[in-house]
Amino acid sequence: MSRHTIKLTVNGEAVEKEVESRLLLVHFVREVLDLTGTHIGCDTTSCGACTVLLDGRAVKSCTVFAAQADGRSVETIEALAADGTLHPLQEGFWEKHGLQCGYCTPGMILSAKHLLEKNPDPTEEEIRWGISGNLCRCTGYNKIVEAIRYAADKQRESTEEVSA
Amino acid sequence: MIPGSFDYHAPTSLDDALALLTEHGGDAKILAGGHSLIPAMRFRLAVPEVLVDIGRIPDLEYIREEDGHLAVGGMTREVALEDSDLVNAKYPLLADTARVIADPLVRNLATVGGNLAHADPANDHPATMLAYGASVVARGPNGSRTIAIDDFFVDLFESALESNEILTEIRIPTPPAHGGGAYLKMERKVGDYAVSAVAVQLVLDGGTVSSARIGLTNVNPVPMRAKNAEAELVGKAATDDVLEAAGRAAAGECDPSGDLRGSAEYKRDVTRILTKRAIRKAVERAKGGN
Ligand SMILES: Cc1cc2nc3c(=O)[nH]c(=O)nc-3n(C[C@H](O)[C@H](O)[C@H](O)COP(=O)(O)OP(=O)(O)OC[C@H]3O[C@@H](n4cnc5c(N)ncnc54)[C@H](O)[C@@H]3O)c2cc1C
Ligand code: FES
Ligand code: FES
């Protein structure tokens, strides 16, 4: 079968669509679901602009078929400020000037989100390691690292408040 | 770029996957992590008519020790090796390797089985598995067989697997006391394939190297063992002279080609240096007990 009906969760909502088996997840997200926050920056699986979370893991959506996401959950940048409030990572990129043109930003933020879930208090080295699959042509990365550090601190403060 | 069209199947058992592979023969390809195959399909370097996604078959992702070896399921993702306490504690050569494959995003999907089955001399696991003297378990329609890693890499992008066999497990012998290993890779940037890389696994007996296996990455058309370098090392103490001789032997026996990553001559010299450094690190680790 070269066409499939896939059922998955995208940003918390159930989605059911018929797709061609060769449709890449990034095209599914951008063109079928109209979620254009996920970018395409290369043809060679190199840049990470297309990063989404697939079952919570940061992956390059240009190198996954939409059919592989059947039954799974996908999270894109659009989910982060869904309730109108900036996510701590978005706030961090705003406060610390973690972006210039912004092309890499959605991918950076999703990689960082996965990183902070695995490691809520990363060192600078660990942050650099965590985003090493995402290329940025503008910032020189320092501001991005600061933005992620900001978000880590903010998230840890708010969990401490909750537990206190 | 958009891949050619194909029929996609996502079987949920090994038997169903094997039946599909047998039915479609050479027209079908296995899809594991997809991070070698999908890039190749996007450039139309691969145009399979049928894809059999083995990602929904249960129980192919695991890392555990049994009967004197580490068993790694064929669909185990690189990130699982990187995060495994067992691998980090007892299999430093494997831990070193997983950490330098591609980038974290790729490692979240790329599988160890796919890395070997692809038989790409630029991939990092082949050299490491050659150094460990690992074996590979292949399941076909008539049951499983075990293939020694020395017999696994047949040609450029060609392994000993039949088109209807699935690599289900990799077995790495547990290093003895005073065993040690290391993987050193020179890359132009994170996420790139190696200019050259060297995997060493050895055993020390007092001050002498009593056995050693060395694998080389991306400096030969087929993943290779540096047997001349091993011969320079075994039975001797790892002195500077012995390391230099082993490094020179490795540089001499590989067959790199010049490309964007450097000239053949440069790659040989990088191989010489990395061989020395990897042996030195493996010896240090062997003294420290892993
Ligand atoms: C940007 C980028 C950088 C990379 N850098 C590196 C690097 O530095 N070092 C490195 O080693 N690799 C690197 N890779 C390759 C990556 O590790 C691949 O994922 C790996 O080579 C293949 O594993 P896979 O699970 O993705 O296999 P797939 O792409 O799904 O399959 C690869 C081939 O193996 C076959 N196959 C897969 N699994 C099995 C199985 N269980 N049994 C039988 N056949 C099977 C498939 O049919 C296919 O022919 C890189 C990839 C990318 C995209
Ligand atoms: S678009 Fe560049 S890695 Fe996906
Ligand atoms: S802000 Fe322009 S690519 Fe990163």
Side-chain angles (χ1 to χ4, degrees):
Chain A
M1 297 146 285
S2 62
R3 294 192 74 84
H4 298 264
T5 301
I6 58 170
K7 291 185 198 171
L8 62 163
T9 312
V10 179
N11 299 337
E13 284 180 30
V15 169
E16 183 173 339
K17 296 276 176 195
E18 196 189 288
V19 298
E20 234 189 310
S21 39
R22 62 173 165 169
L23 184 71
L24 295 164
L25 182 59
V26 70
H27 293 132
F28 176 72
V29 165
R30 287 177 55 84
E31 289 157 24
V32 180
L33 303 182
D34 244 352
L35 296 170
T36 52
T38 305
H39 295 161
I40 301 175
C42 73
D43 263 326
T44 50
T45 316
S46 312
C47 73
C50 61
T51 304
V52 303
L53 301 184
L54 179 61
D55 281 348
R57 289 182 185 174
V59 304
K60 294 174 176 175
S61 63
C62 69
T63 310
V64 176
F65 292 115
Q68 287 176 279
D70 187 18
R72 304 193 198 274
S73 108
V74 173
E75 193 178 323
T76 69
I77 189 69
E78 284 85 354
L80 268 77
D83 62 358
T85 331
L86 292 186
H87 183 278
L89 277 161
Q90 292 170 310
E91 194 184 304
F93 274 70
W94 173 269
E95 290 293 334
K96 297 291 174 186
H97 306 285
L99 63 140
Q100 290 178 22
C101 79
Y103 206 82
C104 68
T105 314
M108 283 289 177
I109 288 184
L110 288 165
S111 280
K113 187 162 188 264
H114 185 205
L115 169 72
L116 295 184
E117 265 153 32
K118 283 177 84 167
N119 180 358
D121 189 16
T123 61
E124 179 186 337
E125 176 81 19
E126 287 165 342
I127 293 175
R128 289 185 183 275
W129 183 258
I131 57 167
S132 59
N134 297 79
L135 300 184
C136 176
R137 303 272 85 168
C138 304
T139 62
Y141 301 99
N142 285 342
K143 298 285 178 192
I144 294 176
V145 173
E146 286 172 27
I148 296 170
R149 190 59 249 171
Y150 175 102
D153 291 340
K154 170 127 192 187
Q155 283 183 330
R156 282 171 50 247
E157 270 167 33
S158 58
T159 33
E160 275 160 25
E161 271 166 31
V162 171
S163 54
Chain B
M1 278 166 277
I2 313 291
S5 37
F6 55 86
D7 285 347
Y8 172 85
H9 299 273
T12 51
S13 77
L14 265 177
D15 287 339
D16 289 351
L18 292 168
L20 282 162
L21 291 170
T22 303
E23 179 190 338
H24 295 287
D27 296 336
K29 276 231 167 251
I30 292 168
L31 176 69
H35 274 56
S36 287
L37 186 54
I38 298 176
M41 289 174 65
R42 295 180 68 190
F43 282 103
R44 307 274 173 123
L45 295 170
V47 196
E49 286 175 23
V50 175
L51 280 192
V52 179
D53 181 355
I54 59 171
R56 288 174 204 273
I57 301 172
D59 305 328
L60 285 177
E61 286 190 59
Y62 54 85
I63 302 169
R64 57 179 175 244
E65 270 187 317
E66 50 193 41
D67 305 331
H69 63 256
L70 183 76
V72 178
M75 274 299 292
T76 304
R77 318 282 176 170
E78 301 296 347
V79 65
L81 295 178
E82 214 181 333
D83 291 348
S84 157
D85 291 338
L86 174 62
V87 171
N88 283 300
K90 287 180 70 177
Y91 300 85
L93 164 57
L94 184 60
D96 284 358
T97 309
R99 215 165 271 130
V100 295
I101 287 176
D103 61 54
L105 300 168
V106 171
R107 290 197 294 273
N108 281 336
L109 287 181
T111 70
V112 190
N115 197 290
L116 294 174
H118 196 49
D120 182 346
N123 275 0
D124 293 292
H125 279 302
T128 289
M129 298 306 170
L130 285 165
Y132 270 125
S135 54
V136 160
V137 180
R139 172 91 176 263
N142 304 318
S144 289
R145 64 180 178 127
T146 306
I147 308 168
I149 199 74
D150 285 330
D151 302 326
F152 187 73
F153 301 107
V154 177
D155 210 336
L156 182 66
F157 299 120
E158 194 185 329
S159 78
L161 294 172
E162 300 293 336
S163 64
N164 60 357
E165 280 183 319
I166 296 174
L167 192 168
T168 53
E169 187 173 288
I170 300 109
R171 293 182 180 161
I172 297 173
T174 302
H178 308 298
Y183 190 68
L184 288 187
K185 173 176 176 177
M186 160 96 114
E187 55 187 2
R188 296 176 304 173
K189 59 176 226 354
V190 168
D192 195 19
Y193 293 94
V195 172
S196 169
V198 179
V200 174
Q201 184 67 32
L202 51 74
V203 180
L204 282 185
D205 183 2
T208 340
V209 176
S210 57
S211 67
R213 292 174 62 106
I214 301 176
L216 305 181
T217 300
N218 217 8
V219 287
N220 204 63
V222 186
M224 70 174 279
R225 258 174 82 188
K227 292 188 182 171
N228 296 346
E230 292 169 6
E232 291 291 346
L233 186 60
V234 172
K236 296 177 191 156
T239 60
D240 287 351
D241 287 349
V242 167
L243 292 189
E244 180 62 25
R248 282 182 190 280
E253 64 193 304
C254 65
D255 185 15
S257 38
D259 58 20
L260 286 173
R261 293 187 183 84
S263 65
E265 192 191 1
Y266 170 69
K267 291 180 182 183
R268 279 187 202 277
D269 212 42
V270 172
T271 305
R272 176 180 68 86
I273 301 280
L274 290 179
T275 301
K276 291 170 62 169
R277 291 184 186 165
I279 296 170
R280 199 173 285 135
K281 195 162 177 186
V283 167
E284 276 165 22
R285 283 175 169 167
K287 286 180 181 159
N290 63 9

